[in-house]
């Protein structure tokens, strides 16, 4: 299944990427934010997800660029940090439903 608001021949623009973020957030149970500059696209994704009342998840691991993620974490206490320093790559699915795989297309 392909979901898009742009025609196949249309050029991709920054605005169309923001529209895509609205769709991907809308069809998701939660949104995982990993890296971002203070004004990056991930911050816009966060704003969209917050408007849609989605659960916001941030991994414990600190990947760069991180300044945008840290900025929103300082002002939004509802963000869930997943994992910890000892188990960064071993997060069980029951603690993070977003990591559970859902097959949409036949293998």
């Amino acid at each position: 299944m392909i979901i898009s608001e742009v025609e196949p021949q249309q050029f991709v623009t920054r605005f169309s990427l923001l529209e895509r973020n609205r769709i991907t957030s809308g069809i998701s149970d939660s949104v995982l934010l990993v890296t971002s500059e203070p004004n990056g696209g991930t911050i816009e994704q966060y704003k969209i997800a917050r408007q849609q009342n989605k659960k916001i998840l941030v991994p414990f691991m600190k990947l760069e660029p991180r300044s945008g993620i840290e900025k929103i974490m300082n002002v939004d206490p509802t963000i869930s940090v997943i994992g910890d320093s000892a188990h960064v790559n071993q997060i069980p699915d029951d603690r993070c439903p977003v990591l559970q795989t859902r097959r949409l297309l036949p293998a």
Side-chain angles (χ1 to χ4, degrees):
M1 173 187 332
I2 298 174
I3 300 174
S4 179
E5 292 181 326
V6 277
E7 297 292 324
Q9 296 78 22
Q10 283 183 292
F11 291 104
V12 176
T13 65
R14 179 183 166 120
F15 179 75
S16 65
L17 293 175
L18 293 176
E19 288 296 310
R20 176 210 56 199
N21 288 354
R22 183 179 57 78
I23 294 170
T24 59
S25 175
I27 64 174
S28 302
D29 296 328
S30 52
V31 174
L32 178 66
L33 307 177
V34 180
T35 66
S36 185
E37 295 287 352
N39 296 319
T42 301
I43 301 304
E44 294 304 315
Q45 178 79 6
Y46 160 77
K47 292 174 185 176
I48 291 165
R50 184 54 60 221
Q51 289 172 351
Q52 296 172 336
N53 296 316
K54 299 296 179 173
K55 182 171 182 164
I56 310 293
L57 306 169
V58 174
F60 176 82
M61 62 186 127
K62 295 183 178 183
L63 302 174
E64 295 299 329
R66 181 78 176 180
S67 57
I69 300 294
E70 290 172 354
K71 181 179 177 181
I72 61 172
M73 289 180 70
N74 287 332
V75 298
D76 188 343
T78 66
I79 293 176
S80 299
V81 177
I82 57 174
D84 58 45
S85 60
H87 303 94
V88 166
N89 294 316
Q90 301 172 7
I91 304 167
D93 284 350
D94 62 342
R95 283 185 53 203
C96 184
V98 75
L99 297 179
Q100 295 175 357
T101 303
R102 294 182 187 163
R103 184 171 298 279
L104 298 177
L105 299 174

